[in-house]
Amino acid sequence: MMKFLGKNRVNSAFCMLVATLTLNAFTASQSFAQAQIMAVAKNQLVVGKTYFIAADNLNLRSSNNTSSADNIVGQLSMNDEVVLVNALGEGTPLVQIKLIKSKSVPSNIAPQLFVSKDYLSDKVYEAPVLKYFVIQNVATEKTRVYERCVTYPGCPHKLVMETDMVVGRNEEGTKSDRYAYMTWLGHSRISSWVKFYSDGMQTYPSWYTAGQDLKSIPKPISSNSSRVIGSRKWLTKQNGKDTVYGAFGWYAAKLSPSDDVNGVNSQWMHGTIGWGVDGSDAIDITRGFFMNMFSNPGSHGCTRLENRAIAYLREILPVGTDIYRVYARESTRERQTILSDDTVIPLSRYKDVYNNPARWDYILLTDGAQKSGGLSADATNIINKSIPVIQGQNFLEQGSYMVDRYPTAAQLNYKNSASSGKSGDRYRIDAGKSKEPTNFRGYFLVDEGRFIDYQHPDARAVKGKVKVSGLLDFRTTVPESLKATGYHFPPNIIY
C-alpha cells in the first residue's frame, strides 16, 4: 500500500512508516471483490457515461500527473460512482472523471479529478453482508466483535468477543502536532491481513522473518522475574537506532481507506511484542511508566492487541469486515444486578456465557510469513488440512485463547490515570470533575453493538484531541443498523 503525504505529514512514527512512498498511478488494494469485477478497457470507455470504481484504495488525483504524490487528494472505494469526463490519450494511465458519489471523499474536493483507467466498471459489485463487525472504543481501549443481526430492522447485535487494546499515545507527538500519534476515529474496512508484518523501511523488525533462525526470536516476557525485565529483551537496534522487535506482532489488518486525507492515516489493527503464553502482559507493559522511559512500545496510532487475540481475529474476520472506531461512554440495555452477597445476576441475553469463555486452540507456524493472507493459526484448520508441523523448522507455539463473550461496560473512573487503560477517557476530553460539562456525546451499548444519540466528540471543543476521518457514513452520522433508542444503564462515574 502507499503512504501519502497529505495534510498530516507525520512520517517518523510507528504506524506512519508502514509503507514506502511509491508514485504509481494507483494503490488499488486487492479487495475481496476485485477479482470478480471486469474493468472496462480504455478504448471502450464512453465520455459522459457513469462508471463504478472496481477497487479499494484507488488514488484520486487533482491533475493528470503520476510522477508525484502531491496531487493525491484521497482514495476511492469499491462501487464509488463517477462520470467519465475525458478519456485522455494513450500516453497517460489516467482518465478525467467527475465524482458523483463516494463513501470516503467529498465530491467537491478539487476542481478537476483523475483516476487510473484500469478500475472503472459498468457494473456495481454486490458485496455480501458479512457476519461480523468490529467496534473499537478508543476512550476505553476495548475492542469488541459483534455478530450482525439481520432478523429485522433495528434488532440488537450479539457480542462474540471483548478484549483490551492499546491506542495511540497522546503523551507524545511532533513539533508541529502534539497529538500526531493519536488514533483517529471513523469507519474503515479490513483490506488485507498480513502475517508477521513490518513497515517497508523495517523500522520495527518483523516478529518473524522468512528464513530467520527461530532461536533468535526473543524469549517470552513472562519467562523472567518481572514483566519489565522480560519486555526489555524485545528492545533492539535497527540501523544503529533503538527500536522494538516484533512490534506489529503475529498479524496485522490493513484498513481501507488508508490515506491521511480522507482515510484512517495508515493506522492498522495489529498484534504486539511477546508470545501467546505472555497473554495480556504484552499489552499491560506498554502502559507502564518505567518501560516508556526507555522506548515507546505503545501504539503510535494503530490499535494493538495481544497476539492471541489478533490471531483469533485473523481467523474469524475476512477482508471487507467493517471496523468502527469511536470515543464513547459505555452503557448496557439491561441492568446487571449484584446482590448483597456479591452474587451477580448476569445480563439475560448473555447468561450462558457469563464466566464461560469460548476456547480457541492455535498453532503458530512460520508458513506465510510477510504474505498477505498468510496462514492463520487456527489449530483445527491446520490439523484438518494436514499442514506439516515440524519442531525446529516451522513450529513456533501452540496453546489456547479463552475468548471473553460477555459484555462489560467500562466505567469512567477519573481516579485512574488516562494511560492506565482503566479510566474510560484515554485522551482526557473531560476535566474529570462532577460539575464540569462533558464532551462525550451519546452512549455505546456494549451488549447490543449500537449507539444512543452518539456523535464523535467535537474536535474544537476538545482542542484537537480527536480526529475523525474514514468512510463518510460515520463521520457526522451513524448508520441505521447501529442506531438505538430507549432506556439504558451506564455505570456510575467516579470522580
Side-chain angles (χ1 to χ4, degrees):
M1 56 92 36
M2 177 181 284
K3 177 70 186 75
F4 298 99
L5 298 177
K7 297 178 182 177
N8 185 333
R9 293 180 179 267
V10 178
N11 296 302
S12 59
F14 201 67
C15 296
M16 312 306 165
L17 282 168
V18 294
T20 302
L21 181 66
T22 59
L23 303 179
N24 295 335
F26 57 88
T27 302
S29 65
Q30 298 296 316
S31 70
F32 61 96
Q34 189 172 322
Q36 304 178 37
I37 297 178
M38 184 68 69
V40 179
K42 188 170 185 177
N43 60 8
Q44 296 178 340
L45 293 172
V46 178
V47 172
K49 183 176 178 179
T50 297
Y51 292 96
F52 302 94
I53 300 301
D56 280 323
N57 290 344
L58 183 65
N59 283 348
L60 181 66
R61 297 177 182 267
S62 59
S63 62
N64 180 21
N65 177 16
T66 63
S67 63
S68 169
D70 291 342
N71 63 347
I72 297 174
V73 295
Q75 291 180 322
L76 298 182
S77 302
M78 184 73 67
N79 290 335
D80 282 355
E81 188 174 344
V82 303
V83 169
L84 183 66
V85 174
N86 190 337
L88 304 177
E90 291 297 329
T92 175
L94 302 181
V95 294
Q96 184 179 357
I97 55 98
K98 177 181 179 182
L99 184 58
I100 303 301
K101 187 178 181 181
S102 172
K103 301 180 186 69
S104 57
V105 182
S107 59
N108 61 349
I109 196 166
Q112 293 185 321
L113 297 172
F114 300 82
V115 297
S116 167
K117 63 180 176 58
D118 296 321
Y119 293 89
L120 300 182
S121 172
D122 52 11
K123 296 181 181 180
V124 174
Y125 174 72
E126 298 296 334
V129 177
L130 298 181
K131 184 176 182 180
Y132 300 120
F133 65 92
V134 177
I135 297 179
Q136 294 190 305
N137 192 352
V138 174
T140 61
E141 295 192 284
K142 297 288 185 182
T143 291
R144 295 180 176 92
V145 181
Y146 293 90
E147 182 175 349
R148 193 185 307 272
C149 180
V150 294
T151 306
Y152 57 88
C155 58
H157 310 293
K158 183 81 170 181
L159 179 85
V160 296
M161 178 187 177
E162 178 176 287
T163 190
D164 289 339
M165 66 177 179
V166 174
V167 300
R169 292 173 56 82
N170 69 332
E171 291 83 4
E172 302 175 29
T174 65
K175 292 181 179 179
S176 60
D177 183 0
R178 63 175 296 192
Y179 299 132
Y181 303 150
M182 293 199 308
T183 301
W184 291 13
L185 311 180
H187 177 199
S188 59
R189 295 191 177 99
I190 296 175
S191 60
S192 66
W193 281 101
V194 182
K195 188 172 185 179
F196 302 129
Y197 175 80
S198 179
D199 58 274
M201 297 175 67
Q202 279 284 308
T203 308
Y204 300 90
S206 299
W207 197 97
Y208 166 81
T209 302
Q212 178 182 349
D213 182 356
L214 302 187
K215 295 179 181 179
S216 66
I217 301 173
K219 301 301 181 185
I221 294 171
S222 55
S223 65
N224 279 265
S225 57
S226 77
R227 294 186 302 184
V228 171
I229 295 175
S231 63
R232 293 289 292 162
K233 294 181 296 187
W234 293 78
L235 303 182
T236 187
K237 285 187 178 295
Q238 186 79 348
N239 299 322
K241 296 182 180 180
D242 292 332
T243 188
V244 181
Y245 178 94
F248 289 97
W250 293 355
Y251 295 94
K254 292 186 175 183
L255 305 180
S256 171
S258 63
D259 65 277
D260 64 356
V261 179
N262 293 288
V264 297
N265 200 28
S266 300
Q267 294 179 343
W268 310 146
M269 177 174 68
H270 60 78
T272 189
I273 63 174
W275 294 71
V277 70
D278 292 322
S280 62
D281 282 356
I283 291 295
D284 295 338
I285 196 66
T286 66
R287 309 186 196 279
F289 172 76
F290 182 78
M291 182 64 176
N292 283 284
M293 286 177 62
F294 296 94
S295 68
N296 182 5
S299 173
H300 278 181
C302 299
T303 51
R304 175 186 291 190
L305 288 71
E306 66 148 290
N307 281 319
R308 298 175 305 170
I310 200 69
Y312 180 65
L313 293 185
R314 161 66 180 92
E315 175 61 24
I316 69 170
L317 301 181
V319 167
T321 298
D322 292 301
I323 310 292
Y324 298 94
R325 286 175 175 161
V326 304
Y327 203 98
R329 279 194 64 184
E330 297 187 353
S331 186
T332 53
R333 175 70 73 191
E334 295 182 66
R335 186 196 298 274
Q336 180 172 278
T337 303
I338 302 178
L339 303 180
S340 58
D341 62 354
D342 292 332
T343 300
V344 174
I345 306 299
L347 306 177
S348 63
R349 290 182 69 213
Y350 295 92
K351 61 183 180 181
D352 293 340
V353 298
Y354 179 71
N355 285 337
N356 182 28
R359 174 176 165 169
W360 178 68
D361 295 325
Y362 66 89
I363 300 175
L364 183 67
L365 304 178
T366 62
D367 302 46
Q370 284 75 59
K371 293 184 179 179
S372 178
L375 180 67
S376 82
D378 183 65
T380 301
N381 176 63
I382 289 172
I383 293 170
N384 288 344
K385 291 185 177 180
S386 300
I387 296 173
V389 178
I390 306 172
Q391 291 276 356
Q393 293 189 25
N394 73 335
F395 173 78
L396 291 166
E397 185 183 32
Q398 74 178 94
S400 298
Y401 175 55
M402 306 310 291
V403 184
D404 185 1
R405 299 174 291 169
Y406 188 82
T408 302
Q411 186 176 40
L412 276 172
N413 187 338
Y414 288 101
K415 292 186 181 298
N416 294 324
S417 68
S419 61
S420 67
K422 299 177 182 179
S423 74
D425 186 5
R426 177 62 182 87
Y427 294 154
R428 278 294 193 263
I429 67 169
D430 277 1
K433 299 178 181 179
S434 59
K435 295 183 180 180
E436 294 288 331
T438 181
N439 288 301
F440 285 95
R441 302 198 285 186
Y443 292 86
F444 167 32
L445 300 181
V446 300
D447 55 340
E448 294 189 352
R450 301 194 295 169
F451 301 91
I452 293 180
D453 299 327
Y454 175 75
Q455 288 181 290
H456 300 303
D458 187 311
R460 292 168 298 180
V462 300
K463 300 180 180 180
K465 291 183 178 180
V466 299
K467 168 76 174 180
V468 180
S469 190
L471 299 175
L472 293 177
D473 66 341
F474 197 56
R475 292 193 192 178
T476 59
T477 59
V478 174
E480 289 298 320
S481 64
L482 300 182
K483 288 183 179 179
T485 59
Y487 62 88
H488 59 101
F489 300 97
N492 293 329
I493 302 175
I494 298 177
Y495 295 102

